[in-house]
Amino acid sequence: MRLSALLFCMFAVAPAMAQEYPARPVRILVPYGPGGATDIIARIVAQRLTESMGQTFLVENRPGANGNIALEAAAKAPPDGYTLLVGNVSTNAINENVFAQQLQVKPSRDLVGIAKLVEIPHIVVAAANFPANNIAELVAAAKKEPGKINFASVGLGSYPHLDMERLMKAAGIELTHVPYKGGAGQAIPAMIAGEVQVAFFNMASLLPHIKSGRLKALAAVPSQRLPELPNVPTLAEQGFPGIGTNAWQGMFAPAATPKPVVDRLHGALLGILTRPDQRDALARQMMSVEVSKSPQEFTELVRRETASWGEFLREARIQID
C-alpha cells in the first residue's frame, strides 16, 4: 500500500507542478547585448509568454566571454523553470568544443532544450563604403593587401568567425578578425562606422541597414537567392558552395528542470509561434518559425550539432587562440 501511495503522489504532483508554473516572474538570459537576432527573438517570446502564461517573462542581457557568462549562469541556476536561456548554434553547440578548457559547465549535459524557435538565413555583408561588391572583388582586394581588411564576428569561435575562417581557407586569403563581445548589436554599428569591413551575419539583424544603404550584401548563404535580395548571388553561385551557417535560435533550461515545466513551456511556445499572425510577423523580420516537435527532439538536435562542430574543428585544424 505504501509503494502504491507513493507512486500515486509522484504522478499526481507532476500535473499540479505544470499547472502552478509560473507562480512568479521568469528571467530569460540572452548571451549578447541588445539588438542582435538572439535578443530580438528573446524579447518577442518574452512578451508573448507574458501574455499567455499570466506572469512576467523578463529578458536579461548577459553579454561577454563569447556567450559563456550567460551559458554558465543558466546552467548553474536553480532547476525550477524561473531562469531560462535563449541561445543559438554558437553558444549551445560550438562553444562546448571551442572553450572546453574555459567553461565550468558542459552545455549539452547541463542544459536541456525546450524548443528550437526560429532559423535565420545569413549573408556576407560589407560596409557601404567598402569597394568590393561581390566575393570575387573581396578576394581580389584581400590578396592585394593581406590582413588589411577586417572582418567582424560576435565572438571568438562563433559561427560568423568560423564561417569566415572557412571562406578564407577556400579562397586563399587573409583577413583580420575583430570579435565583438556585445554580439551583432555591437558589431553592426561598428561596421556602419567603418571599423570593420565585412562579416557573416544574419538577415534579421541586417535587412533594415541594407535597405537603408548603410550596409551592402555581397553574397547569400542559402542554396537559393533570398526573395528580399533577388539581385544578390549565393556563395555557391560565386564559387564557394557549402560555406556558411543558417543558424537556429532556441530556448533552454537547467538540465534538472522538472519535465512538466519544460513541457508546459514547450506547449506555450508552440502555441505562440505557430499562430499565423506571429509566423507572418517573424517572416517579415527574416525569421522562419521552426519549433521542435518536442523538447527531446531539440535536445538531441543540439547534441548532434555539438558533435558535428567538434568534428569540423578537429578536421579543419582551426586554431582558436
Side-chain angles (χ1 to χ4, degrees):
M1 289 293 292
R2 289 180 180 176
L3 178 59
S4 61
L6 177 61
L7 290 172
F8 175 80
C9 290
M10 288 174 62
F11 284 107
V13 165
M17 186 182 300
Q19 290 171 4
E20 292 170 3
Y21 175 85
R24 63 178 190 272
V26 178
R27 291 188 308 160
I28 300 178
L29 304 184
V30 173
Y32 308 110
T38 307
D39 180 70
I40 291 169
I41 188 59
R43 291 182 184 278
I44 290 170
V45 164
Q47 181 183 345
R48 297 293 179 258
L49 288 173
T50 297
E51 295 167 356
S52 67
M53 300 190 78
Q55 273 291 348
T56 302
F57 283 71
L58 296 167
V59 170
E60 183 178 317
N61 296 93
R62 291 277 194 97
N66 302 285
N68 291 339
I69 291 174
L71 268 182
E72 292 183 352
K76 294 178 179 179
D80 53 13
Y82 290 95
T83 300
L84 308 174
L85 171 80
V86 171
N88 57 40
V89 62
S90 280
T91 57
N92 289 79
I94 297 175
N95 280 16
E96 184 168 320
N97 297 289
V98 173
F99 302 106
Q101 302 304 314
Q102 294 94 324
L103 272 170
Q104 299 177 27
V105 300
K106 190 174 182 179
S108 64
R109 177 196 64 204
D110 298 328
L111 291 166
V112 62
I114 296 171
K116 180 165 75 168
L117 304 173
V118 294
E119 289 187 358
I120 308 171
H122 280 57
I123 64 171
V124 182
V125 65
N129 62 354
F130 185 56
N133 292 300
N134 54 48
I135 299 301
E137 291 177 4
L138 167 62
V139 171
K143 286 185 174 180
K144 185 177 180 181
E145 297 181 290
K148 186 175 180 181
I149 298 169
N150 296 332
F151 78 91
S153 84
V154 297
L156 194 68
S158 64
Y159 62 87
H161 173 204
L162 298 181
D163 285 344
M164 191 63 81
E165 290 281 357
R166 294 173 73 183
L167 180 60
M168 286 194 292
K169 281 182 177 291
I173 59 175
E174 178 186 346
L175 309 177
T176 297
H177 181 209
V178 182
Y180 289 88
K181 67 180 182 180
Q186 183 183 15
I188 290 171
M191 183 177 292
I192 293 170
E195 294 176 17
V196 287
Q197 286 73 53
V198 295
F200 277 85
F201 278 141
N202 68 76
M203 282 290 287
S205 302
L206 295 173
L207 191 57
H209 303 296
I210 293 171
K211 287 183 174 180
S212 70
R214 289 180 288 184
L215 296 174
K216 60 183 175 181
L218 304 187
V221 167
S223 57
Q224 303 294 325
R225 294 192 185 195
L226 295 166
E228 294 79 8
L229 301 172
N231 297 321
V232 178
T234 66
L235 272 171
E237 287 180 270
Q238 299 186 66
F240 296 95
I243 294 177
T245 303
N246 288 313
W248 48 259
Q249 309 283 337
M251 181 173 280
F252 300 83
T257 301
K259 188 175 184 297
V261 172
V262 172
D263 288 344
R264 179 139 199 253
L265 283 164
H266 176 270
L269 290 167
L270 185 66
I272 290 165
L273 294 175
T274 56
R275 282 180 3 210
D277 61 332
Q278 186 64 72
R279 186 186 290 273
D280 291 346
L282 287 167
R284 289 193 292 272
Q285 297 186 64
M286 297 304 301
M287 296 185 182
S288 172
V289 172
E290 300 285 346
V291 182
S292 312
K293 292 179 181 178
S294 68
Q296 183 62 29
E297 180 185 80
F298 182 46
T299 298
E300 290 173 358
L301 166 70
V302 175
R303 288 173 180 165
R304 287 196 305 272
E305 293 216 354
T306 300
S308 177
W309 278 102
E311 184 178 351
F312 161 69
L313 286 164
R314 288 189 295 274
E315 289 181 353
R317 298 181 181 179
I318 291 176
Q319 196 70 33
I320 305 296
D321 299 321

